[in-house]
């Protein structure tokens, strides 16, 4: 909203004008632009100013060209005036920005007026020789005015962007307050009331943070934001069922542990979002990412190849240290209990080969330095090629091991045997069998956690590394939560809410396995050179373009449907005659409402999803009419 007036007017004014690519301009506002919306707003302004400056280099112009320059200059001035009016309105509504915004708006208006004056036809003089009009060629004045304009406009945009950050922080604070209330409720009625409010606040927060994620220029921040938002989305459902289970079984220790873990994870995710948008010092991005083998290999190869141009760019000791650090990181593969003997031996052999080739390179390098050579000798060139090839072979082997193990695990876990066994044992109240399959699930969790760590080593980009870390953390947390939910069900086998709670956590586990499969494909794409940029989105289906109001409305209705269907399930537990028509009809309605809720959780836009929603809606409407008549 704040950024729209300027580019629209400037783009309209450029009809018939030839503009230089804004990428060639050397203007620097001195402010770091971190969002795409600010950047895109400045592009047409830079383009038009570049045009004006380039024309100032040619004093003699035809009347048509002069008129066009005049139109652009005046349009820039008018656009800046409208833009400044928006900035001043923002300042009036936000006292903390009043002084800074006022100064930036004043400078922008002054610069706009200067550009209008410099492009005024009244300052043109006719040439005596050819009759063409000569404009006073004050290129220095135009450059000065342009710099001031770009600097002040950028500052206004960056200050306006603070309002967006403030909105996100305010929204987070509201969510935290309601989250505290939810954690302390003691009655189901009070919980339902507060959770409805919480759902609306989470929808608002999700919308604001989603817009921010899409607007960020930094791919690492986008990946971290996507990870935090995915946690919040999944935890919202977990919070609902875990809290209801705790309310239904207040003396159950496993239910309390299950609920506490969800609340803790939600607070951590909320904090991570704020760290990203405010760039707080404690922000995870400022914490060093685990050293990956991919980055180690890239840095090592870069150092080796630099020797072609400069034999003295680094010392042999530094290159040797880089190699040893790289080899040390491969221990995550060779020390793993899940790495086969053949794979371990292949990695060790390749590490030894890299060491040998690097040693030969160092000998040739030291010899070339002793001869005072200015560039790599023939022996050095051969050694450089061999070293780069052997380290590439090592990378290929590590990639094969990590991706192969992940693929095998996904096939095994696709059968979901431990989850099905835990559900069955819990429903039967068999704590002994629950304990047995809890150990199986724990072992699978450890395998998945370690595999995510190996994938992080070979991911190929920092955003993918971040997504691997998110997957590792998710498996590490959800595994124990499934176990505590299964223990609760085993202690209360007739409890429908305890059963629903276990289902929700199992669904979260299965969802993360699906995300891991997508992640695996992206890592393979990067390795094979098919795609070099991570999307920073954990779901890949293309969303239909809905406006903010429509998105918010759909998400709110989805949460309300889910809450209402859960309420119906709770009421049905009170009926003694479970085969009664009213009970069966109610169960059917709750099931349809749940299916419609699922629709709102996932990306919209495919014909299949639209058809499903339409069919469920028609069926739900018909069933409600029939049910009302029967009642």
């Amino acid at each position: 909203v704040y950024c729209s007036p300027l580019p629209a007017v400037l783009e309209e004014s450029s009809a018939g004008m030839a503009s230089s690519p804004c990428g060639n301009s050397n203007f620097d506002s001195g402010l770091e632009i971190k969002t795409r919306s600010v950047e895109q707003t400045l592009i047409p302004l830079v383009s038009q100013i570049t045009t004006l400056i380039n024309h100032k280099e040619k004093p003699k112009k035809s009347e048509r060209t002069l008129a066009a320059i005049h139109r652009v200059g005046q349009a820039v001035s008018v656009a800046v005036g409208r833009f400044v009016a928006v900035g001043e309105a923002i300042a009036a509504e936000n006292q903390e920005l009043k002084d800074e915004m006022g100064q930036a708006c004043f400078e922008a208006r002054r610069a706009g007026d200067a550009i209008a004056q410099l492009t005024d036809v009244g300052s043109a003089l006719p040439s005596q020789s050819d009759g063409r009009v000569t404009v006073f060629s004050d290129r220095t004045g135009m450059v000065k005015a342009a710099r001031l304009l770009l600097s002040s406009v950028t500052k206004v945009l960056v200050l306006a962007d603070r309002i967006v950050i403030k909105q996100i922080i305010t929204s987070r604070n509201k969510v935290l307050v309601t989250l505290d209330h939810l954690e302390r409720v003691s009655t189901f009625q009070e919980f339902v009331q507060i959770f409805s409010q919480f759902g609306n606040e989470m929808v608002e927060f999700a919308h604001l943070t989603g817009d921010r994620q899409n607007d960020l220029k930094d791919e690492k921040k986008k990946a971290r934001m996507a990870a935090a938002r995915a946690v919040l989305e999944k935890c919202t459902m977990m919070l609902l069922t875990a809290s209801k289970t705790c309310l239904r079984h207040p003396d159950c220790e496993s239910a309390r542990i299950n609920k506490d873990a969800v609340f803790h994870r939600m607070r951590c995710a909320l904090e991570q979002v704020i760290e990203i948008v405010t760039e707080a010092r404690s922000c995870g991005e400022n914490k060093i990412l685990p050293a990956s083998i991919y980055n180690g290999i890239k840095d090592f190869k870069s150092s080796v190849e630099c020797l072609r141009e400069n034999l003295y760019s680094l010392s042999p000791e530094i290159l040797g240290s880089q190699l040893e650090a790289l080899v040390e990181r491969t221990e995550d593969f060779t020390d793993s209990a899940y790495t086969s003997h053949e794979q371990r031996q292949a990695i060790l052999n390749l590490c030894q080969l890299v060491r040998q080739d690097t040693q030969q390179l160092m000998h040739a390098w030291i010899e070339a330095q002793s001869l005072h050579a200015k560039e790599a000798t023939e022996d050095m060139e051969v050694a450089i090629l061999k070293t780069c090839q052997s380290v590439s072979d090592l990378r290929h082997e590590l990639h094969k091991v990590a991706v192969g193990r992940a693929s095998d695990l996904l096939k095994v876990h696709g059968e979901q045997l431990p989850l099905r066994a835990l559900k069955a044992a819990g429903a039967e109240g068999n704590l002994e069998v629950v304990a047995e399959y809890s150990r199986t699930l724990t072992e699978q969790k450890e395998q998945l956690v370690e595999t995510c760590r190996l994938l992080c080593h070979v991911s190929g980009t920092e955003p993918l590394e971040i997504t691997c870390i998110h997957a590792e953390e998710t498996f590490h947390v959800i595994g124990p939560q499934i176990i505590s939910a299964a223990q609760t069900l085993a202690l209360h086998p007739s409890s429908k809410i305890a059963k629903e709670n276990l289902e929700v956590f199992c669904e979260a586990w299965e969802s993360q396995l699906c995300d891991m499969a997508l992640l695996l494909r992206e890592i393979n794409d990067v390795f094979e050179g098919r795609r070099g940029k991570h999307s920073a989105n954990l779901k890949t289906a293309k969303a239909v373009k809905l406006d903010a109001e429509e998105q918010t409305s759909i998400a709110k209705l989805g949460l309300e449907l889910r809450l209402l269907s859960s309420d119906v399930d709770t009421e049905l537990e009170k009926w003694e005659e479970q085969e009664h028509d009213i009970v069966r009809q109610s169960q059917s309605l709750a099931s349809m409402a749940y299916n419609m809720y699922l629709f709102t959780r996932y990306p919209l836009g495919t014909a299949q999803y639209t058809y499903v929603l339409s069919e469920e809606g028609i069926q739900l409407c018909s069933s409600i009419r029939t049910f009302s008549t029967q009642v």
Side-chain angles (χ1 to χ4, degrees):
V1 173
Y2 301 135
C3 301
S4 58
L6 186 63
V9 175
L10 288 173
E11 285 168 351
E12 288 169 9
S13 71
S14 65
M17 290 291 294
S19 300
S20 299
C22 61
N24 294 334
S25 110
N26 294 318
F27 298 126
D28 178 11
S29 69
L31 294 167
E32 185 183 356
I33 299 171
K34 295 168 184 170
T35 58
R36 297 186 190 280
S37 56
V38 171
E39 184 178 68
Q40 291 302 311
T41 299
L42 290 172
I43 285 175
L45 177 60
V46 173
S47 178
Q48 294 304 318
I49 289 175
T50 303
T51 297
L52 293 174
I53 289 174
N54 288 343
H55 276 285
K56 278 291 183 183
E57 292 177 327
K58 304 170 185 176
K60 293 185 179 181
K61 300 171 181 66
S62 66
E63 289 184 10
R64 182 179 177 184
T65 302
L66 185 63
I69 293 173
H70 176 71
R71 285 199 306 272
V72 172
Q74 294 302 310
V76 168
S77 178
V78 171
V80 169
R82 294 176 183 172
F83 179 81
V84 165
V86 176
E88 289 169 344
I90 293 171
E93 295 172 5
N94 299 271
Q95 288 297 312
E96 70 274 18
L97 298 180
K98 187 174 181 180
D99 293 341
E100 285 184 274
M101 184 70 87
Q103 181 62 29
C105 288
F106 171 77
E107 290 175 356
R109 195 187 295 278
R110 184 159 61 101
D113 291 343
I115 288 174
Q117 185 177 357
L118 287 166
T119 55
D120 187 3
V121 178
S123 66
L125 299 172
S127 171
Q128 294 179 353
S129 59
D130 57 12
R132 289 197 171 199
V133 177
T134 302
V135 177
F136 176 66
S137 186
D138 184 8
R139 188 173 190 274
T140 303
M142 179 63 78
V143 170
K144 184 177 179 182
R147 285 188 179 279
L148 178 61
L149 180 60
L150 286 172
S151 175
S152 54
V153 166
T154 303
K155 188 164 188 181
V156 170
L157 291 169
V158 171
L159 288 170
D161 190 57
R162 286 194 204 167
I163 307 301
V164 178
I165 295 172
K166 180 183 174 183
Q167 288 174 337
I168 294 174
I169 293 171
T170 301
S171 179
R172 186 282 308 257
N173 291 342
K174 283 162 58 180
V175 169
L176 277 178
V177 169
T178 310
L179 198 64
D180 288 341
H181 291 163
L182 273 177
E183 197 170 20
R184 293 196 300 268
V185 296
S186 56
T187 67
F188 187 78
Q189 185 178 2
E190 185 184 5
F191 173 79
V192 169
Q193 206 171 24
I194 297 176
F195 188 85
S196 180
Q197 176 189 341
F198 175 75
N200 291 335
E201 291 170 354
M202 280 300 297
V203 167
E204 179 194 7
F205 187 72
H207 178 63
L208 290 171
T209 54
D211 286 348
R212 189 66 179 182
Q213 176 186 321
N214 293 331
D215 200 24
L216 288 170
K217 290 173 61 182
D218 189 304
E219 292 297 325
K220 289 189 292 182
K221 289 178 183 172
K222 289 182 78 167
R224 294 187 63 244
M225 182 74 89
R229 293 179 69 243
V231 169
L232 291 171
E233 179 191 342
K234 291 173 183 175
C235 280
T236 300
M237 246 355 282
M238 297 176 191
L239 185 143
L240 172 62
T241 57
S243 297
K244 285 169 60 180
T245 304
C246 235
L247 287 169
R248 180 56 55 87
H249 310 290
D251 299 325
C252 183
E253 180 66 11
S254 57
R256 185 192 60 76
I257 291 171
N258 185 260
K259 172 191 161 187
D260 289 349
V262 176
F263 275 88
H264 174 72
R265 195 162 186 235
M266 284 204 79
R267 288 191 175 100
C268 288
L270 287 165
E271 189 60 32
Q272 181 172 323
V273 169
I274 298 306
E275 287 175 353
I276 295 166
V277 298
T278 61
E279 299 187 306
R281 285 289 179 184
S282 60
C283 179
E285 184 197 331
N286 293 326
K287 300 169 188 173
I288 299 173
L289 286 172
S292 71
I293 292 173
Y294 169 78
N295 285 327
I297 288 175
K298 186 172 69 173
D299 293 343
F300 178 74
K301 283 183 72 174
S302 176
S303 296
V304 169
E305 289 171 342
C306 277
L307 295 176
R308 287 192 175 105
E309 306 298 329
N310 186 351
L311 299 183
Y312 308 96
S313 58
L314 73 163
S315 68
E317 290 77 19
I318 290 175
L319 188 65
S321 298
Q322 282 184 321
L323 174 60
E324 290 311 311
L326 169 60
V327 171
E328 186 178 342
R329 291 172 203 167
T330 64
E331 291 175 2
D332 282 347
F333 288 77
T334 56
D335 290 354
S336 170
Y338 306 110
T339 302
S340 69
H341 174 72
E342 292 78 11
Q343 290 173 332
R344 183 178 293 108
Q345 199 57 49
I347 294 169
L348 291 172
N349 290 342
L350 284 168
C351 286
Q352 186 58 31
L353 181 60
V354 175
R355 278 199 178 103
Q356 290 173 3
D357 290 341
T358 305
Q359 198 62 41
Q360 289 178 4
L361 171 60
M362 286 184 178
H363 286 316
W365 180 15
I366 292 169
E367 185 178 345
Q369 284 182 329
S370 68
L371 297 173
H372 304 291
K374 294 183 179 179
E375 57 185 26
T377 62
E378 188 175 334
D379 287 347
M380 266 193 75
E381 183 61 38
V382 171
I384 287 171
L385 290 172
K386 287 179 65 178
T387 303
C388 288
Q389 183 58 52
S390 58
V391 81
S392 294
D393 291 343
L394 174 62
R395 181 197 169 199
H396 189 277
E397 181 64 27
L398 295 171
H399 176 86
K400 185 173 73 174
V401 171
V403 168
R405 183 188 298 181
S407 300
D408 291 343
L409 276 177
L410 286 172
K411 288 175 187 173
V412 171
H413 292 283
E415 299 172 6
Q416 304 298 339
L417 292 176
L419 298 186
R420 289 208 299 267
L422 283 169
K423 291 176 191 176
E428 293 168 0
N430 194 328
L431 281 167
E432 190 175 326
V433 175
V434 166
E436 177 187 342
Y437 280 98
S438 293
R439 288 190 290 272
T440 304
L441 184 66
T442 298
E443 185 179 348
Q444 288 191 351
K445 176 209 74 177
E446 290 170 357
Q447 288 179 341
L448 287 164
V449 164
E450 186 178 282
T451 301
C452 290
R453 201 169 297 140
L454 299 188
L455 286 174
C456 184
H457 274 304
V458 301
S459 57
T461 69
E462 285 186 321
L464 285 175
E465 283 182 34
I466 290 166
T467 309
C468 288
I469 292 168
H470 165 69
E472 177 187 338
E473 291 171 349
T474 300
F475 285 124
H476 183 75
V477 171
I478 293 183
Q481 288 179 311
I482 291 174
I483 292 170
S484 61
Q487 289 170 343
T488 302
L489 179 58
L491 291 168
H492 307 279
S494 62
S495 171
K496 289 189 177 180
I497 182 56
K499 182 180 179 182
E500 181 190 9
N501 189 47
L502 177 56
E503 285 283 354
V504 166
F505 281 96
C506 289
E507 283 175 14
W509 178 275
E510 292 163 9
S511 172
Q512 188 55 52
L513 286 173
C514 291
D515 288 344
M516 186 176 176
L518 293 175
L519 173 61
L520 193 59
R521 284 203 292 272
E522 286 212 58
I523 290 172
N524 266 325
D525 285 344
V526 170
F527 182 77
E528 294 170 10
R530 289 197 296 266
R531 190 186 310 164
K533 185 179 177 183
H534 179 51
S535 64
N537 291 315
L538 298 180
K539 296 188 180 74
T540 57
K542 186 178 179 182
V544 71
K545 291 183 179 178
L546 301 174
D547 62 31
E549 187 177 348
E550 288 170 326
Q551 290 179 39
T552 303
S553 177
I554 286 174
K556 283 182 178 178
L557 288 170
L559 279 172
E560 287 172 12
L561 274 174
R562 184 66 190 96
L563 186 59
L564 290 169
S565 66
S566 184
D567 292 345
V568 171
D569 288 337
T570 303
E571 290 298 318
L572 292 178
E573 289 184 26
K574 301 175 183 177
W575 283 69
E576 294 180 2
E577 191 183 340
Q578 287 293 306
E579 294 302 315
H580 195 283
D581 283 348
I582 290 180
V583 174
R584 286 192 290 103
Q585 282 276 15
S586 299
Q587 288 171 338
S588 175
L589 291 175
S591 175
M592 281 186 279
Y594 180 68
N595 288 337
M596 293 180 74
Y597 156 74
L598 290 178
F599 175 86
T600 66
R601 282 187 64 195
Y602 297 103
L604 313 178
T606 66
Q608 180 185 357
Y609 277 140
T610 307
Y611 177 76
V612 169
L613 178 63
S614 174
E615 288 297 303
E616 291 287 0
I618 293 168
Q619 189 178 352
L620 179 60
C621 185
S622 174
S623 297
I624 287 174
R625 286 200 188 99
T626 304
F627 183 50
S628 299
T629 303
Q630 289 177 343
V631 171

